[in-house]
Amino acid sequence: MQRMIALLILLVPGFIAALGIKWMRDTIFGILHAPIPSLIVQFLLGLFCFLVGLGFIAGFILHRDRKRNKVQPRFQKKKRFDSE
């Protein structure tokens, strides 16, 4: 059940990233979608959607790999030492 929930959590940002790629591609070919006023705005929205979707998926994978100690030392969390 947990794997299904994790899959569903990753599908939504994946679709958002794919939509961003589609909007950027359509901007290059000059196709403007209805609710968006101009091609420049469409490209910027596509770039934003792509970066948000990709960033969420990358953060999810990094968090999972940190929990399992499967990352290089430079990606591990720094330990904080309390100085008294």
Side-chain angles (χ1 to χ4, degrees):
M1 186 64 180
Q2 287 180 337
R3 290 180 189 249
M4 287 296 287
I5 293 170
L7 178 65
L8 290 174
I9 289 172
L10 286 179
L11 281 178
V12 173
F15 285 135
I16 291 172
L19 179 68
I21 291 172
K22 180 184 181 321
W23 281 352
M24 288 189 292
R25 184 197 66 199
D26 288 347
T27 300
I28 291 172
F29 293 117
I31 301 169
L32 183 63
H33 293 282
I36 303 171
S38 71
L39 289 175
I40 294 172
V41 173
Q42 179 173 308
F43 184 82
L44 292 175
L45 282 173
L47 182 64
F48 177 75
C49 287
F50 173 70
L51 292 176
V52 166
L54 184 68
F56 185 87
I57 292 171
F60 185 87
I61 292 171
L62 179 63
H63 176 72
R64 184 196 65 189
D65 286 348
R66 277 183 179 166
K67 283 185 359 185
R68 296 178 182 179
N69 290 327
K70 292 187 176 183
V71 294
Q72 293 180 2
R74 66 179 176 174
F75 294 118
Q76 291 176 352
K77 281 191 174 182
K78 308 272 190 241
K79 294 186 179 184
R80 292 178 42 189
F81 295 105
D82 293 327
S83 60
E84 294 181 23

